[in-house]
Amino acid sequence: MTQPIIRSENLSKRYRVGGAPRRHADFREAFDNLLRAPLRRLRSMRIEPSCEEETFWAVRNLDFEIAPGEILGIIGRNGAGKSTLLKILSRITAPTEGRIELRGRVASLLEVGTGFHPDLTGRDNIYLNGTFLGMRKKEIDRKFDEILDFAEVERFIDTPVKRYSSGMYVRLAFAVAAHLEPEILLVDEVLAVGDANFQRKCLGKLGDIAETGRTVVFVSHNLAAVQRLCRRAILLRQGRIADQGPVGDVVKEYLRVSAEEVSVSQFRTDARRGTGWARIIDTKLVDDDGNAIGSRACDQALNLVVDVETTEGHGTQTLRGLVLELMFVSDEGHPVTSVMNVDDGAAEFPSTNRCRLRVRIPSPTFMPGRYRLGLFLGIPFLQHVDDIDNALSFEILPPEMPWRPYELHPSRGVVCVKAEWECEPNPSLTRKHEETVGGRQ
Amino acid sequence: MPIANGDDAVTSETSLRAPERGTTKIHLVIEPGSRAIREELGDLLHYRDLLYFLVRREITVRYKQTLLGAAWAVLQPFMTMVVFSVFLGRLAGLPSDNIPYPVFAYLGLLPWTYFSGSVSRASASLVGNASLLGKVYFPRVLIPLSSTLAALVDFCIAATVLVGLMLWYGLWPSASALFYIPLTALTAVLALGVGMWLASINVQFRDVQQATPFLLQIWMFATPIVYPGSLVPERYRFIYDLNPMSGIITAYRAAALGEPIHWQSVGIAALVALAFLLTGWWQFRRMDRHFADIV
């Protein structure tokens, strides 16, 4: 049995919870408090929180081992501790308890283009970024041409990167990272950038890195990518290891637990704009029985419920004439599609102050992955009444019914469509035939 | 081939092959608390190229999209000198050790501008690079260090003007101006020490951002820049010399004019600077693994 290249023992990390400041009873108390505040804050300067403060464990008692050459996936929901674990492994932050032994040099990739400066040229940024990732100058010199080749930006190498298109920027950034040669590589979701083509290239590169016997720890939401790259995975849940083992089993467990936990998507209004005389007060993704849910299989209809009402003080004003638009955006930020309540056959607002709209998008819907919903309430081109980006985030799960013998992978696009196929056994092979097939799509 | 040292493993050609299985040496241990000094120094050595590129970045980016570019490095001390010469030299009639007041003031302002510039840049540097702190590991000290080093470029540009100014007033720079090199090194050490203190506190308490300009202003008046140190009565001299910048600036002036340098006050300044450097580093190390959590 070879020595594990990474061994973690009882690893824990505690964070302080920023409590809301207490309200003051009167002016005197407030003033008093103002004078004492610096002292109190100074006392809180102690780096380790004292016991009376509210704390939480981002990761707790993690014991695991990773063998050399292994590609390990770490999965779990947001806040499960994946990123914290990665930050401890990459020495960005210190653990509160426990210990990790590493038997190799580590490089971590928590984002692409760390340290990129918009005013610097592509060339300067390659060196800056490379050295940030722990490369030496001569190492970058040696690989410079390879990096350029991979990024496909030769012509612009002496142009400041702020003039780059976002695609070029990301390609350059990933190219540097892809040429790291540490013994242990820690990767966080960086693959969720660039177009599908480039993502495939990145995944391929990660696969290559793995083939050379390097150890890779890969943290991702993208279950498909994890399944493709890794043979073993760890499932984190609330800071603890909930499961570990062969990747297929762990992913299955994750899906089972996620479904059980009824991860209801929360309606969020932190990015809200508009005059606000009418408001979207709630938006839910619901199942067939009307229960709020957070995920839906791609071969099931998407049901959404949106509650809208006029704000008080605008008593005479009704909702009539307003337009509600639902915009679906992929996790990478690409618009997928939009529906409006004034589309043909939809339901317009009646002359009331309060209204519930039910929207049903028949199956199949989108390719498995995370999506966000943006809402627009107003009159297009004239008035933003209530405009909410990221009102809801939800997951489209793989199909429940048999669909395709292969995986429905995000690299195949964002929209699921079911095509009707026909096959003529003995077609007359003429030009006309091509037209027929083209016309039937 | 067993990997003897991780540093070599990354850079040598052999690393292109798969790392050997069963490498038994523990390369790194991650534990709570501060890291061993030896480990930290090793890291500094490994990341020395990053320091070079960080300094380059600071220099390249500093005057991007400005009309006057690097002329700003000259304008700042020069205009201050003009203002001081008019108001303090001419109108208030401050003495200037028998050399023309503009030269006198510029001789003081040149190193002071370097010092205050690198202190204020270093103290804001960690917060200014907050996004980096949370995304990648590297020795954090490199950030204030690169600010201090990058400010040297401004110093050198502004120093060329000093030569012109002295010639204009018929003063020939003395050969002892070579002492500028160790004196500037000393100033840099002091600036780094103070910068590390301020930068690490600034991560948690942004009060530093408010206090730094104020602190530097007071410090400037406690330093013989616009007035000669000889104005200070002899019996307060020792206390006055505890301000390391006072000894340094006096020495700068003497070096340029070829006068004898008061080595005792330079020695005190060196000790104080060293104390700032060591305590600054201590404070920085105490905090540096938590920067990402609190910045």
Side-chain angles (χ1 to χ4, degrees):
Chain A
M1 161 95 195
T2 52
Q3 292 257 29
I5 195 163
I6 302 177
R7 184 208 306 266
S8 159
E9 283 164 25
N10 196 31
L11 190 75
S12 304
K13 169 91 185 172
R14 182 172 50 184
Y15 279 107
R16 195 177 319 192
V17 182
R22 226 162 40 84
R23 300 195 82 139
H24 309 304
D26 56 22
F27 177 75
R28 220 181 67 90
E29 195 190 325
F31 185 72
D32 202 50
N33 211 331
L34 191 72
L35 292 181
R36 280 194 200 149
L39 256 177
R40 206 182 43 237
R41 280 198 216 124
L42 201 64
R43 240 177 274 132
S44 74
M45 185 171 168
R46 292 183 42 238
I47 299 160
E48 292 306 327
S50 58
C51 35
E52 70 252 41
E53 276 176 290
E54 214 185 319
T55 59
F56 84 102
W57 294 94
V59 294
R60 189 73 170 129
N61 304 336
L62 300 188
D63 291 301
F64 59 89
E65 290 184 353
I66 302 173
E70 190 173 19
I71 308 190
L72 179 86
I74 296 180
I75 56 178
R77 295 187 24 204
N78 281 331
K82 303 186 303 277
S83 300
T84 305
L85 173 57
L86 212 54
K87 280 186 176 174
I88 298 172
L89 275 171
S90 52
R91 292 193 286 167
I92 288 167
T93 180
T96 313
E97 286 171 13
R99 154 191 179 97
I100 300 177
E101 286 168 9
L102 297 162
R103 290 167 197 270
R105 195 153 187 104
V106 185
S108 63
L109 220 51
L110 269 60
E111 66 176 0
V112 289
T114 305
F116 263 42
H117 195 288
D119 278 324
L120 294 180
T121 63
R123 184 186 304 275
D124 285 345
N125 271 315
I126 288 178
Y127 279 99
L128 189 61
N129 181 233
T131 46
F132 262 126
L133 295 173
M135 282 198 255
R136 301 295 309 277
K137 181 175 176 294
K138 56 182 177 193
E139 199 186 345
I140 304 172
D141 287 337
R142 205 176 61 220
K143 294 179 187 157
F144 194 81
D145 293 332
E146 250 177 274
I147 293 175
L148 272 194
D149 248 20
F150 190 87
E152 303 163 14
V153 293
E154 290 89 339
R155 279 198 314 130
F156 305 99
I157 193 61
D158 290 311
T159 311
V161 296
K162 66 178 171 189
R163 311 239 180 275
Y164 280 28
S165 72
S166 57
M168 284 160 64
Y169 186 96
V170 165
R171 282 207 304 276
L172 183 68
F174 191 85
V176 183
H179 289 83
L180 279 171
E181 283 176 352
E183 287 127 34
I184 305 167
L185 183 65
L186 311 171
V187 188
D188 189 9
E189 301 256 39
V190 283
L191 301 174
V193 294
D195 53 32
N197 236 335
F198 188 69
Q199 281 195 22
R200 245 197 316 282
K201 200 168 166 181
C202 298
L203 274 173
K205 185 75 193 177
L206 266 188
D208 292 350
I209 292 173
E211 302 234 307
T212 61
R214 273 161 236 289
T215 310
V216 181
V217 178
F218 180 49
V219 167
S220 184
H221 273 120
N222 184 343
L223 294 180
V226 171
Q227 274 180 297
R228 208 163 107 190
L229 276 173
C230 313
R231 244 167 291 154
R232 204 163 73 89
I234 289 180
L235 171 62
L236 289 182
R237 215 172 128 222
Q238 292 166 2
R240 291 168 190 267
I241 294 180
D243 193 18
Q244 57 177 318
V247 69
D249 298 349
V250 176
V251 167
K252 228 173 267 165
E253 172 70 8
Y254 173 59
L255 288 174
R256 192 185 63 77
V257 172
S258 313
E260 251 175 36
E261 275 178 354
V262 197
S263 52
V264 175
S265 297
Q266 290 299 316
F267 177 53
R268 293 174 41 183
T269 56
D270 35 338
R272 170 174 244 166
R273 292 181 306 275
T275 57
W277 66 259
R279 281 264 153 114
I280 298 158
I281 50 171
D282 195 16
T283 306
K284 287 192 294 248
L285 184 67
V286 295
D287 64 10
D288 294 332
D289 304 325
N291 304 314
I293 49 173
S295 58
R296 192 80 166 149
C298 67
D299 57 348
Q300 286 187 304
L302 268 182
N303 302 309
L304 288 143
V305 175
V306 185
D307 290 327
V308 181
E309 65 176 33
T310 54
T311 320
E312 280 187 33
H314 296 276
T316 55
Q317 194 70 285
T318 70
L319 297 169
R320 195 181 169 79
L322 280 180
V323 172
L324 179 74
E325 183 184 19
L326 276 55
M327 284 160 291
F328 295 90
V329 180
S330 75
D331 206 27
E332 295 91 70
H334 302 302
V336 177
T337 189
S338 100
V339 292
M340 279 193 189
N341 75 325
V342 289
D343 289 341
D344 187 42
E348 293 190 33
F349 283 111
S351 306
T352 54
N353 294 95
R354 184 172 295 192
C355 192
R356 167 167 287 186
L357 288 137
R358 293 179 198 278
V359 190
R360 180 182 164 85
I361 299 172
S363 68
T365 54
F366 308 137
M367 284 286 188
R370 269 209 99 69
Y371 293 86
R372 299 190 297 245
L373 178 69
L375 297 169
F376 169 86
L377 181 69
I379 301 161
F381 310 112
L382 285 179
Q383 198 186 9
H384 291 247
V385 176
D386 198 14
D387 203 353
I388 310 173
D389 296 336
N390 296 336
L392 209 61
S393 160
F394 59 91
E395 182 115 21
I396 295 291
L397 301 174
E400 288 194 343
M401 295 293 153
W403 182 296
R404 181 183 286 189
Y406 308 101
E407 192 195 355
L408 281 177
H409 190 261
S411 71
R412 307 282 108 182
V414 283
V415 180
C416 264
V417 288
K418 209 144 201 176
E420 284 162 15
W421 293 74
E422 264 175 46
C423 185
E424 280 177 59
N426 291 308
S428 45
L429 291 165
T430 58
R431 282 174 178 281
K432 230 180 165 187
H433 160 73
E434 289 167 17
E435 284 166 25
T436 335
V437 172
R440 194 166 285 155
Q441 278 184 343
Chain B
M1 175 194 155
I3 292 156
N5 174 315
D7 198 335
D8 290 340
V10 174
T11 45
S12 71
E13 292 296 325
T14 52
S15 72
L16 292 173
R17 260 185 277 134
E20 195 87 351
R21 296 220 159 193
T23 325
T24 43
K25 187 175 168 287
I26 294 181
H27 185 91
L28 187 74
V29 175
I30 299 174
E31 276 175 320
S34 285
R35 298 164 45 220
I37 290 187
R38 213 176 65 87
E39 194 184 309
E40 207 151 318
L41 291 176
D43 260 355
L44 274 179
L45 200 64
H46 178 79
Y47 279 92
R48 60 185 183 270
D49 291 341
L50 175 60
L51 176 63
Y52 169 74
F53 287 110
L54 277 175
V55 172
R56 253 184 75 142
R57 176 185 77 169
E58 286 245 359
I59 295 168
T60 327
V61 169
R62 185 146 162 83
Y63 297 112
K64 271 271 156 77
Q65 291 217 352
T66 57
L67 208 55
L68 298 178
W72 279 112
V74 175
L75 274 176
Q76 222 182 323
F78 192 81
M79 292 316 286
T80 318
M81 178 273 286
V82 171
V83 171
F84 285 170
S85 301
V86 171
F87 290 98
L88 301 175
R90 194 52 59 89
L91 299 181
L94 274 179
S96 56
D97 285 347
N98 301 323
I99 52 168
Y101 191 87
V103 177
F104 175 86
Y106 199 80
L107 281 171
L109 280 167
L110 175 67
W112 177 260
T113 309
Y114 167 63
F115 175 74
S116 72
S118 43
V119 166
S120 61
R121 278 158 74 177
S123 71
S125 63
L126 278 180
V127 171
N129 286 292
S131 60
L132 277 178
L133 300 183
K135 287 297 182 192
V136 69
Y137 168 80
F138 58 93
R140 307 314 197 193
V141 181
L142 294 183
I143 290 208
L145 181 58
S146 67
S147 304
T148 315
L149 294 179
L152 276 176
V153 175
D154 286 2
F155 176 79
C156 293
I157 297 171
T160 57
V161 175
L162 173 66
V163 179
L165 191 72
M166 286 180 71
L167 292 177
W168 175 266
Y169 281 96
L171 293 163
W172 198 251
S174 145
S176 63
L178 279 178
F179 281 122
Y180 261 48
I181 296 165
L183 284 173
T184 308
L186 182 57
T187 316
V189 167
L190 179 65
L192 180 64
V194 177
M196 283 197 291
W197 266 107
L198 295 178
S200 59
I201 300 175
N202 194 22
V203 169
Q204 196 165 16
F205 299 109
R206 300 288 144 88
D207 303 53
V208 172
Q209 235 145 322
Q210 308 297 325
T212 305
F214 179 62
L215 172 94
L216 285 170
Q217 200 169 21
I218 294 178
W219 198 336
M220 177 174 154
F221 286 110
T223 306
I225 293 165
V226 297
Y227 59 89
S230 51
L231 278 192
V232 178
E234 197 58 42
R235 59 202 148 112
Y236 298 124
R237 215 33 220 250
F238 183 74
I239 301 170
Y240 191 73
D241 275 349
L242 275 183
N243 166 11
M245 279 315 281
S246 120
I248 292 173
I249 297 260
T250 313
Y252 262 113
R253 221 172 245 145
L257 299 167
E259 287 163 6
I261 293 173
H262 196 255
W263 288 111
Q264 191 197 329
S265 41
V266 175
I268 296 172
L271 285 179
V272 176
L274 197 65
F276 264 111
L277 185 73
L278 292 178
T279 57
W281 195 45
W282 167 80
Q283 154 74 5
F284 202 89
R285 266 168 48 80
R286 206 171 66 86
M287 301 287 294
D288 87 353
R289 300 189 76 194
H290 300 275
F291 285 153
D293 296 337
I294 50 184
V295 70

